[in-house]
């Protein structure tokens, strides 16, 4: 895709999709690499970083975020900045402050795009760009990828620099890639990974080596439906069918229940998000709360009542939980679940007091595991579902290899939504 092609598609479809908050015309960069977009939580020099808020987080950033700079240096071209849930704190993709994108799989009903990297997923799903940057604190790359029918790749902490990316919860935040296929997501991760010249970041990820790995003989744990809590019947059907297809790659899939159910990571991950998020954004909330999305304010205010002592205890408990889980996971090459237990609902049916879309994704952040969401089919209503593959600590290569192997047998074959109802 050329930058001109990307800009033409954006002009044609984004009037209704609303994936972008700002379009770069001409596109940034001077290489001939893939065209990408950046979530509006990432700094781009001289361009306001909105963060999904009416009052920008940074009016005039002095430099690009490290990952944006790396992509531009590698010849990638930036087409613009995409919508996000305000301050990245939400899984539905709603935004009552500046508006929310439209899930491209339903032109008649405004359905949840998933959050918080909502616009990035919509832009990729609609073919407006080849890949997009997102951040993931409790599932914010994998959730929108799943409900929009694209690939979402979240590395473990320390592989990708967070420099120039506005935080939600520093203990949990990661930068990830969204793309139409595993190879593009992996290659984006390869470019953005590694040291940034300031932070002590891990060595760069070798995308080509990971994509070339043979997964035959590998052993995966899969969580049985009865141990996953409430799962939509269609999502459950697609999950079980995906496991059958996964076996065709030569891997062994063993149905097991881990020592700690994934749901048990949900609440402590939420406590860390609220506690750390309040301490970072308290001044903004107290100053600009009246023009913020009220649901976002409520979530942050939960952190106001979390004492320093309780927050410190949560970090100690997290370290213990990680030790236990990592020891268990060492016996497998990966752990498989549905990405989200439900498909994208209509926006007017969303209950903001609940967070079902992140129920199976938060564990990866809390336990510091790499993970990928790969499309695994459409429900009877025509909405996408995703298969989540979590890997052992620092084993992004296996996550990518397994994701690519599943993609090859998934039957998805690059499906794309019908955009005729979105034409300007």
């Amino acid at each position: 895709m050329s930058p001109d092609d990307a800009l033409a598609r954006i002009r044609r479809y984004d009037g209704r999709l609303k994936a972008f908050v700002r379009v770069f015309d001409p596109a940034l960069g001077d290489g001939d690499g893939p065209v990408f977009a950046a979530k509006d939580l990432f700094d781009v020099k001289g361009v306001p970083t909105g963060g999904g808020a009416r009052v920008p987080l940074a009016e005039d950033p002095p430099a690009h975020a490290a990952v944006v700079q790396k992509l531009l240096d590698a010849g990638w071209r930036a087409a613009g900045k995409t919508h996000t849930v305000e301050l990245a704190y939400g899984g539905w993709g709603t935004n009552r402050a500046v508006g929310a994108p439209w899930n491209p799989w339903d032109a008649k009903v405004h359905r949840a795009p998933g959050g918080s990297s909502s616009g990035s997923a919509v832009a990729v799903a609609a073919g407006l760009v080849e890949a997009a940057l997102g951040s993931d604190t409790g599932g914010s790359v994998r959730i929108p990828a799943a409900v929009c029918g694209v690939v979402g790749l979240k590395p473990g902490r320390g592989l990708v620099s967070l420099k120039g990316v506005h935080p939600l919860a520093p203990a949990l935040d990661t930068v990830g890639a969204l793309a139409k296929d595993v190879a593009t997501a992996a290659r984006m991760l390869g470019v953005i990974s590694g040291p940034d010249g300031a932070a002590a970041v891990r060595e760069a990820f070798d995308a080509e080596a990971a994509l070339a790995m043979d997964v035959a003989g590998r052993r995966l744990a899969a969580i049985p439906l009865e141990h996953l809590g409430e799962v939509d019947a269609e999502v459950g059907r697609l999950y079980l069918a995906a496991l059958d297809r996964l076996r065709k790659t030569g891997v062994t899939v063993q149905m097991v229940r881990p020592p700690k159910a994934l749901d048990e990571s949900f609440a402590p991950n939420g406590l860390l998000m609220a506690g750390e998020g309040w301490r970072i954004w308290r001044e903004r909330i107290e100053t600009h709360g009246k023009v913020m999305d009220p649901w976002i304010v409520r979530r942050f205010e939960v952190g106001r009542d979390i004492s320093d002592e309780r927050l410190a205890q949560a970090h100690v408990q997290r370290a213990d939980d990680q030790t236990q889980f990592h020891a268990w996971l060492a016996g497998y090459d990966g752990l498989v679940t549905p990405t989200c237990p439900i498909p994208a609902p209509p926006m007017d049916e969303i209950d903001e007091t609940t967070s079902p879309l992140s129920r199976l994704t938060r564990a990866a952040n809390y336990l510091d595991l790499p993970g990928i969401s790969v499309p695994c089919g459409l429900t009877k209503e025509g909405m996408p579902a995703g298969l989540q593959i979590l890997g052992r600590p620092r084993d992004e290569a296996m996550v990518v290899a397994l994701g690519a192997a599943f993609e090859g047998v998934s039957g998805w074959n690059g499906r794309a939504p019908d955009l005729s109802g979105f034409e300007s």
Side-chain angles (χ1 to χ4, degrees):
M1 174 185 287
S2 71
D4 286 345
D5 289 340
L7 293 171
R9 286 185 67 83
I10 292 168
R11 285 191 292 269
R12 184 175 181 182
Y13 297 114
D14 202 50
R16 278 198 66 206
L17 287 171
K18 300 190 185 323
F20 284 85
V21 294
R22 184 179 295 267
V23 178
F24 303 148
D25 189 0
L28 294 184
D30 54 11
D32 58 1
V35 180
F36 76 99
K39 180 179 185 176
D40 197 21
L41 205 67
F42 294 68
D43 282 344
V44 172
K45 183 178 179 180
V47 177
T49 304
R54 292 184 185 178
V55 180
L57 309 186
E59 287 281 2
D60 187 15
H64 297 316
V67 292
V68 172
Q69 187 65 61
K70 285 188 174 193
L71 288 166
L72 295 175
D73 289 346
W76 291 50
R77 304 289 298 274
K81 303 190 76 177
T82 52
H83 267 287
T84 173
V85 175
E86 189 167 10
L87 299 179
Y89 203 177
W92 292 113
T94 54
N95 188 318
R96 289 166 180 78
V98 298
W102 193 296
N103 191 311
W105 287 89
D106 191 338
K108 295 180 180 179
V109 178
H110 190 181
R111 291 181 179 268
S116 64
S117 307
S118 52
S120 288
V122 171
V124 171
L128 309 184
V129 291
E130 293 168 83
L133 291 168
S135 62
D136 192 311
T137 309
S140 289
V141 163
R142 291 159 291 144
I143 292 167
V147 300
C148 287
V150 300
V151 172
L153 176 57
K154 170 214 168 294
R157 287 180 51 74
L159 183 62
V160 180
S161 173
L162 293 166
K163 184 179 179 182
V165 183
H166 294 261
L168 172 55
L172 304 166
D173 292 343
T174 54
V175 168
L178 297 104
K180 290 296 285 288
D181 55 57
V182 175
T184 304
R187 289 169 181 144
M188 180 180 234
L189 179 60
V191 173
I192 65 176
S193 61
D196 64 4
V201 185
R202 291 159 53 192
E203 291 303 310
F205 172 69
D206 188 337
E208 300 309 323
L211 291 166
M213 287 175 63
D214 183 1
V215 302
R218 298 293 182 171
R219 186 166 173 249
L220 299 183
I223 310 301
L225 277 177
E226 61 267 27
H227 295 313
L228 285 170
E230 289 190 29
V231 175
D232 176 84
E234 280 293 283
V235 171
R237 175 182 65 82
L238 292 170
Y239 170 59
L240 295 179
L243 296 183
D244 286 339
R245 290 194 176 100
L246 195 53
R247 293 183 177 97
K248 294 179 181 178
T249 68
V251 303
T252 298
V253 180
Q254 183 179 351
M255 304 301 284
V256 296
R257 183 176 184 176
K260 278 208 166 190
L262 295 184
D263 277 3
E264 293 184 32
S265 294
F266 184 86
N269 196 86
L271 186 150
L272 291 172
M273 280 196 288
E276 293 194 350
W278 172 255
R279 284 157 174 78
I280 292 168
W281 297 112
R282 173 178 179 173
E283 184 176 343
R284 163 172 280 265
I285 293 164
E286 292 177 343
T287 304
H288 301 298
K290 290 183 178 179
V291 296
M292 292 178 63
D293 185 324
W295 288 106
I296 301 300
V297 173
R298 292 186 191 186
R299 287 175 197 142
F300 278 113
E301 286 179 340
V302 171
R304 181 175 54 193
D305 300 324
I306 298 172
S307 67
D308 291 346
E309 180 182 13
R310 188 181 178 201
L311 192 57
Q313 290 172 345
H315 283 290
V316 171
Q317 183 62 54
R318 181 192 185 203
D320 290 343
D321 290 342
Q322 286 183 357
T323 298
Q324 178 189 11
F325 199 92
H326 293 176
W328 174 81
L329 191 57
Y332 299 92
D333 292 290
L335 172 65
V336 187
T337 74
T339 308
C340 300
I342 61 172
M347 294 287 265
D348 60 8
E349 294 179 10
I350 287 173
D351 179 358
E352 291 279 9
T353 65
T354 63
S355 303
L357 291 179
S358 64
R359 189 163 58 77
L360 302 175
T361 58
R362 285 190 186 182
N365 304 85
Y366 183 70
L367 300 169
D368 193 13
L369 307 173
I372 194 169
S373 178
V374 184
C376 65
L378 297 175
T379 67
K380 290 179 181 177
E381 286 192 330
M383 300 305 296
L387 182 73
Q388 176 177 240
I389 303 172
L390 303 181
R392 293 172 298 203
R394 293 179 170 242
D395 200 359
E396 286 84 5
M398 182 55 65
V399 165
V400 165
L402 291 166
F406 172 72
E407 184 179 68
V409 298
S410 67
W412 184 256
N413 298 324
R415 291 184 192 177
D418 177 5
L419 299 183
S420 59
F422 291 101
E423 291 184 275
S424 298

